[in-house]
């Protein structure tokens, strides 16, 4: 008997070259200092790593986050902004990557999403 773990065979686990960020969700908390980031990746054969950077309107880095070899394709994390909101609007960049044998990053996908702390809630 063959065991099938996915209803849609086309949507089954993908190779590192095919792993994509299907959806990147943002939620700004009422305190305007924290941002929840939701990740929805394609199912994967090898666990990808993710680098997240938030920059202010002036280009200054105000938050970073590294996920080393994600275990699940769907998860949420909270970023804490290092400034008081004076750099609004912000830009969040998420890079999905794998390390090669020689230690270089092989980028699989990259998304950039602007947001504003002036409007708490989903963005």
């Amino acid at each position: 008997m063959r065991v099938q773990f996915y209803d849609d065979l086309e949507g089954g686990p993908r190779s590192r070259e095919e792993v994509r960020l299907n959806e990147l969700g943002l939620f700004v908390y009422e305190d305007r200092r924290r941002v929840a980031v939701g990740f929805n990746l394609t199912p994967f054969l090898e666990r990808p790593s993710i680098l997240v950077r938030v920059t202010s309107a002036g280009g200054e880095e105000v938050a970073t986050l590294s996920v080393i070899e994600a275990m699940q394709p769907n998860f949420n994390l909270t970023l804490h902004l290092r400034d008081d909101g004076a750099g609004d609007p912000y830009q969040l960049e998420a890079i999905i990557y794998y390390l090669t044998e020689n230690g270089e990053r092989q980028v699989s996908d990259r998304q950039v999403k602007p947001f504003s702390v002036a409007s708490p809630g989903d963005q």
Side-chain angles (χ1 to χ4, degrees):
M1 181 168 109
R2 184 174 161 206
V3 177
Q4 183 175 323
F5 292 101
Y6 296 93
D7 294 333
D8 177 13
L9 294 178
E10 302 254 338
R14 305 293 177 137
S15 66
R16 59 172 51 191
E17 294 82 13
E18 298 176 308
V19 172
R20 299 289 178 264
L21 187 54
N22 295 326
E23 190 174 349
L24 183 64
L26 294 176
F27 178 86
V28 177
Y29 287 92
E30 290 290 328
D31 64 10
R32 299 180 176 156
R33 300 292 303 258
R34 296 174 295 143
V35 179
V37 183
F39 301 91
N40 180 331
L41 305 170
T42 54
F44 43 81
L45 291 169
E46 298 176 71
R47 296 185 296 174
S49 294
I50 306 170
L51 174 63
V52 179
R53 284 185 230 155
V54 176
T55 53
S56 66
E60 180 183 345
E61 188 173 272
V62 296
T64 58
L65 172 74
S66 293
V67 176
I68 308 300
E69 295 187 356
M71 298 286 289
Q72 301 172 12
N74 299 302
F75 59 97
N76 299 310
L77 296 169
T78 299
L79 283 161
H80 295 259
L81 303 178
R82 288 190 288 260
D83 69 354
D84 59 1
D88 203 34
Y90 296 95
Q91 180 170 285
L92 183 135
E93 176 184 35
I95 301 170
I96 310 299
Y97 70 93
Y98 291 89
L99 288 180
T100 62
E101 290 180 14
N102 60 1
E104 294 179 10
R105 286 185 183 160
Q106 175 188 351
V107 175
S108 176
D109 196 16
R110 175 184 176 271
Q111 283 192 20
V112 175
K113 190 166 185 174
F115 69 97
S116 173
V117 296
S119 303
D122 286 322
Q123 296 195 24

